[in-house]
């Protein structure tokens, strides 16, 4: 072990973690059983789990250099929740040293593990093989579905908007996008900002006295419930007449981020809203809703007050919700980059405020395992809701329209399965105007669907997930990048076995593909009847790398679900013509076909990024 490099990392961590808090984090042990194995174009790092860790930071250095966190260029949190980790930011043929640090909280990384070495291999022309074995006749367990509980949306007042965007009326299209999330994907709730924004007219002061008007809120929630969806009620932002400083705003639509001029009146507003909702929709209905306090107050752009002021806001808000019915669920901190989770829990434990669920956000990595934080502060029974999550925190980023982002969604959902109660992709539709309305069809918007309702690769990924059966089957993987670069999720229903396979690195510099990361997958599913037919459905880039190949096709390629590639092929401008809308709707669909079986074996070649759903069913 290189003790000098390890000591250097430990010293820098100690300095970075020395911030004023009202509580102390445990001194977590470094991970044990750390290994690093070089493969073609990648190094897979593995380790054993550490009790109390919410995540792990991967460290890397050259033979004679310091250890630094591996940056997969997500623009957000670099910690990951679980092993293994695939590093594709390395240079093939170069010797590296790796270590892993446990993370107690997103800003608090602990001591580094022992250092291990690995060399990423240079490609020799042969595509490495990953072997996947599925136990199709095993007992199995219930398949968790973290994508079903929740999806994000633009502020819901836009359901009533009659303005045009891209020649399309915003309200009906946003409604249709949410309808598709419910009807086709099975999503149950919607989380959105700004129910207290002035465009809902909930609060004004006349002659110095509060006046409430919930008619717009009623119209919004009536529409949502009519779609079969429930709201996650994010309590914010601040009504102008209640703000201590109305000049403090965020977003194009001027959401006010100021603390209230009266916390008493804020609490009365919250109680009035919740009481009204219970009276209008009935206690049995509203008891199924979640009430979330504010949005990302740990960022100055979303909260102009102090942390202490926000903690007071939380206390007042939680008490106001519970004043209507103690059974109603309230939580937070709805924070950016997994921050303030421990801060809220420690504060709530000290003052006795309720926390029925914890909410937080990250982008570019799977969600951290914050259950450790809940247990540390005595809230082990609270639910965990990631009310925002996605491939990037930046608006107008081309990666949002890419196949990479769709496969990223698959990786994150599988990582979250069984660990979180909801993982809400942010957001359902490109009818989204935090930084202005969409300037063109494919502008790198956050939506799973475009203006016009065309499915992006991320919507297709949701569709593939929705086709998994209710029973999760055991899977074993072996080979170059097995379990780190290539993953599998297998399931069964009454008359079908469905196996979802994908090839992905978190390294966003490789979002356009990397031929060295292609893998041939040999899928074995013993126990499937010899007469059953195998069908494959691809999510594959038309421009990135080599699309998946069928082993029985003589190299025939199948591009599928890449809306950006189809739009480029058609020469679509900023907005499609009427004819191009129809062509894109047809050409952006996923494509399925039968594939030959070699007994219980199916062979496929998956580039990075790509995914394939293999379904076995009776003829």
């Amino acid at each position: 072990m290189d003790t000098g490099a390890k000591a250097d990392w430990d010293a820098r961590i100690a300095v970075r973690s020395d911030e004023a808090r009202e509580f102390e984090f445990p001194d977590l042990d470094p991970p044990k059983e750390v290994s690093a194995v070089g493969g073609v174009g990648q190094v897979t790092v593995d380790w054993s789990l550490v009790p109390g860790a919410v995540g792990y930071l991967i460290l890397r250095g050259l033979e004679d250099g310091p250890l630094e966190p591996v940056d997969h260029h997500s623009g957000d949190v670099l910690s990951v929740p679980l092993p293994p980790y695939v590093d594709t930011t390395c240079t093939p043929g170069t010797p590296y040293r790796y270590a892993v640090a446990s993370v107690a909280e997103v800003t608090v990384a602990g001591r580094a593990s022992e250092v291990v070495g690995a060399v990423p291999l240079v490609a020799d022309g042969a595509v490495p093989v990953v072997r996947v074995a599925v136990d199709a006749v095993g007992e199995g367990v219930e398949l968790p579905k973290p994508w079903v509980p929740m999806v994000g949306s633009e502020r819901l007042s836009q359901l009533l908007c009659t303005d045009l965007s891209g020649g399309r009326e915003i309200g009906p299209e946003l409604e249709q996008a949410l309808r598709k999330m419910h009807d086709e994907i099975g999503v149950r709730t919607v989380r959105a900002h700004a129910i207290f924004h002035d465009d809902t007219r909930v609060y004004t002061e006349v002659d110095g006295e509060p006046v409430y008007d919930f008619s717009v809120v009623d119209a919004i929630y009536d529409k949502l419930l009519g779609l079969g969806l429930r709201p996650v009620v994010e309590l914010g932002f601040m009504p102008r007449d209640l703000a201590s400083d109305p000049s403090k705003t965020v977003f194009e639509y001027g959401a006010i981020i100021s603390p209230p001029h009266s916390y008493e009146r804020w609490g009365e507003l919250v109680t009035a809203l919740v009481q009204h909702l219970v009276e209008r929709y009935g206690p049995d209905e509203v008891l199924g809703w979640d009430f979330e306090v504010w949005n990302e107050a740990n960022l100055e752009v979303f909260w102009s007050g102090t942390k202490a002021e926000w903690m007071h806001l939380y206390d007042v808000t939680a008490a106001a919700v519970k004043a209507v019915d103690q059974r109603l669920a309230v939580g937070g901190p709805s924070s950016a980059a997994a921050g303030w989770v421990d801060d809220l829990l420690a504060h709530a434990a000290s003052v006795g405020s309720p926390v029925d669920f914890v909410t937080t956000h990250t982008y570019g990595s799977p969600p951290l395992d914050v259950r450790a934080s809940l247990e540390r502060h005595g809230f082990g029974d609270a639910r965990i809701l990631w009310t925002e999550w996605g491939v990037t925190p930046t608006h107008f980023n081309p990666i949002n329209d890419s196949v990479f982002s769709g496969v990223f969604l698959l990786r994150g959902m599988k990582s979250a399965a069984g660990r979180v109660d909801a993982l809400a992709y942010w957001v359902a539709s490109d009818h989204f105007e935090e930084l202005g309305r969409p300037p063109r069809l494919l502008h790198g918007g956050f939506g799973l669907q475009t203006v016009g309702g065309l499915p992006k690769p991320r919507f297709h990924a949701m569709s593939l997930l929705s086709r998994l059966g209710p029973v999760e089957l055991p899977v074993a993987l072996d080979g170059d990048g097995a379990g780190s670069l290539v993953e599998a999720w297998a399931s069964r229903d009454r008359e079908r076995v469905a196996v979802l396979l994908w090839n992905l690195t978190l390294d966003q510099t490789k979002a356009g593909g990397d031929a060295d990361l292609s893998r041939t997958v040999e899928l074995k599913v013993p126990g499937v009847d010899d007469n059953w037919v195998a069908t494959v459905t691809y999510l594959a880039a038309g421009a990135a790398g080599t699309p998946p190949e069928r082993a029985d096709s003589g190299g025939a390629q199948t591009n599928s679900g890449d809306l950006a590639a189809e739009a480029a092929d058609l020469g679509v401008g900023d907005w499609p013509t009427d004819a191009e809308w129809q062509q894109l709707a047809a050409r952006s669909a996923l494509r399925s076909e039968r594939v030959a079986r070699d007994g219980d074996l199916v062979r496929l070649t998956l580039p990075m990024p790509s995914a394939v759903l293999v379904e076995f069913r009776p003829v």
Side-chain angles (χ1 to χ4, degrees), residues 35 68 79 88 95 97 99 178 187 236 246 261 279 284 301 370 374 396 403 415 430 522 540 553 560 566 572 617:
S35 64
E68 300 284 352
S79 302
T88 62
R97 294 169 305 118
L178 294 176
V187 170
H261 68 70
E279 291 172 357
D284 291 343
V301 70
V370 298
L374 273 65
F396 306 114
V403 167
S415 173
D430 271 348
E522 294 183 348
S553 68
S560 179
E566 299 294 352
V572 173
R617 66 179 81 223

Side-chain angles (χ1 to χ4, degrees), residues 297-321:
N298 61 325
L299 299 183
E300 291 181 359
V301 70
F302 287 116
W303 177 248
S304 64
T306 64
K307 180 191 288 188
E309 287 174 316
W310 184 83
M311 293 296 171
H312 182 49
L313 185 88
Y314 182 87
D315 296 338
V316 171
T317 308
V321 172

Side-chain angles (χ1 to χ4, degrees), residues 4 19 22 82 101 142 160 167 191 229 255 259 266 344 386 477 507 529 548 614:
E19 62 178 64
E22 297 177 358
L82 299 167
E142 182 179 356
L160 310 178
R191 186 257 188 179
L229 292 161
W266 167 265
L344 171 62
W386 290 76
L477 297 96
D507 175 11
D529 193 292
V614 185

Side-chain angles (χ1 to χ4, degrees), residues 17 41 95 138 148 176 190-191 202 267 287 301 306 315 346 395 506 535 556 558 614:
S17 302
V148 167
Q176 181 60 23
V190 176
R191 186 257 188 179
V202 294
L287 283 172
V301 70
T306 64
D315 296 338
H395 296 248
L506 294 179
T535 304
T558 303
V614 185

Side-chain angles (χ1 to χ4, degrees), residues 448-471:
L448 297 166
Q449 303 164 69
T450 70
V451 171
L454 297 173
K456 295 188 190 180
R458 287 170 299 174
F459 184 87
H460 286 312
M462 287 279 206
S463 178
L464 293 177
L465 288 169
S466 72
R467 289 162 63 176
L468 291 173
V471 177

